[in-house]
Structure formats: structure tokens, C-alpha cells
Amino acid sequence: MKLIKFLIIVVLAAISLEVSAQTKTNAFYGMALPMGDTKDYINPASFRGANIEFEQFVHPSIGVGLLVGWNTFYEAKDRGTYLIKDGAITSNQYRYLNAIPIQATGKYYFANDDAVVRPFIGLAAGTFYMEQRIDNGLFSTSYKGWSWALAPKAGVLIPINYRASLAISLDYSTSFKTSELDKQNWLGINVGFSWDY
């Protein structure tokens, strides 16, 4: 319940910000490279992810916003004998991880709107809803829940015209261990568009 109240406060704060310079919407297609604990669980890169961010500028160089998205990871393991809750099973194994971020964001832009390239650094902080599942033949084990998460990021905007830019960014997402879920880490590679209005 505390988490829901926190999310409502973050959303209301983001909506209530006054527009001082401009408002921006950023939409990204996301790829992800598992790192650390996630790589131990699922090794292959993920090409299934997307996020959208609504951002307002509180200063010509500083934007704050709200990001929501989705990343999914998948790996098919060879047939083998795997431990399950009540013993072991010989089967193929399929591993899944779905992550839905809901995060407040802050960015610092190093150049003005009229620059040829507009680099930025930033931080996303909030929560992930995670679902981790392992299928062994007819047996399936899943863990679901919310986890706190951080994602430092860096990228560039390359203006296409006075309202739209090509957007490229890298982020390193880290979700924290809970009683139900392990810590997860991945490097996100995002390509998309940014619109000013």
C-alpha cells in the first residue's frame, strides 16, 4: 500500500509541474544486455523492450519526468536434469524475465535546443514490477513482485527539425533484491525519437 501511495504522489507531482521552457515526450525501442545476476539467470541479449517518458523542463538545461516501459528476457536451455521444488526433472528448460519500470527521471542537458547534438546525463529512480518464470516440461515456477530500482543514463539528441529529434541513450538498470525476487542488472541500449511541444 505504501508503494501505491508513493507512485500516486510521484505521478501527481510530475503532472503538476509548471512548464517553464518546454515539454518533451521521448519514445524508445530498447535492447538490453544482461549483466551480473541477470546474466547468471538469462544470458542472451534481449531485443524486446520499449519505454516512453514524459518530461518537463524546470530550467533550460534540466528536465524532470516520468518513465514507463517494458523489457523482457528469454532463454531456452538444452535438455538436462534440473532441480525443481520437490526434486529434479529431466526436460528442456525455458527461462523468462519481464520487467515493467515506473520511474521518476531527471536529466541534465549540456547544450541548447539549437545545438547540432544535444548530449545529456540523467537518472531514473522508482520501481519495477518483475515477473520471473522457469518452465520445466509441465512444471512452472514463477516469482512476481515490486522492486526498487535505479538507472543512470547518458545519451544524445540529434535534432531533425525544430520539434523532433533522433534520440540515442544507454542506461544501466539495477533492481534491488526482495524477499521474492533476486537482484537484476542490465545495460539498456535505446533508440527512438523525442518531440518538443
Side-chain angles (χ1 to χ4, degrees):
M1 194 63 173
K2 289 181 182 178
L3 180 61
I4 293 171
K5 288 179 183 177
F6 172 77
L7 292 175
I8 290 170
I9 290 168
V10 168
V11 169
L12 291 176
I15 291 170
S16 66
L17 287 173
E18 293 183 26
V19 179
S20 62
Q22 67 188 27
T23 304
K24 184 184 287 295
T25 298
N26 307 306
F28 291 97
Y29 162 70
M31 299 161 277
L33 303 173
M35 308 291 258
D37 299 305
T38 304
K39 190 173 181 69
D40 293 340
Y41 173 62
I42 293 179
N43 189 47
S46 167
F47 295 93
R48 294 179 285 184
N51 58 60
I52 188 164
E53 177 185 17
F54 303 99
E55 184 177 8
Q56 290 188 334
F57 280 77
V58 294
H59 181 275
S61 298
I62 300 172
V64 296
L66 180 68
L67 177 141
V68 294
W70 170 71
N71 284 93
T72 185
F73 299 85
Y74 165 77
E75 183 175 9
K77 304 287 275 183
D78 292 335
R79 185 173 179 82
T81 300
Y82 298 98
L83 296 176
I84 60 173
K85 187 176 182 180
D86 298 320
I89 186 171
T90 299
S91 69
N92 292 338
Q93 186 178 83
Y94 303 95
R95 296 181 178 187
Y96 305 88
L97 177 65
N98 283 284
I100 300 170
I102 303 171
Q103 298 177 313
T105 62
K107 290 188 196 147
Y108 180 81
Y109 291 86
F110 292 97
N112 295 328
D113 283 342
D114 55 356
V116 175
V117 175
R118 196 171 186 203
F120 64 84
I121 58 170
L123 180 68
T127 186
F128 273 97
Y129 177 75
M130 297 270 200
E131 180 178 351
Q132 184 176 349
R133 193 175 87 230
I134 300 174
D135 292 339
N136 291 295
L138 299 175
F139 296 92
S140 184
T141 305
S142 67
Y143 303 94
K144 302 175 185 178
W146 294 91
S147 173
W148 292 110
L150 292 173
K153 56 182 64 198
V156 294
L157 298 180
I158 304 167
I160 299 169
N161 61 37
Y162 74 99
R163 288 205 179 261
S165 300
L166 175 65
I168 302 168
S169 72
L170 296 174
D171 58 56
Y172 188 83
S173 293
T174 299
S175 72
F176 298 102
K177 182 177 174 63
T178 69
S179 59
E180 292 293 321
L181 298 163
D182 292 331
K183 179 180 176 182
Q184 302 293 340
N185 317 79
W186 61 85
L187 177 67
I189 304 165
N190 308 293
V191 178
F193 293 95
S194 179
W195 296 272
D196 298 333
Y197 47 93

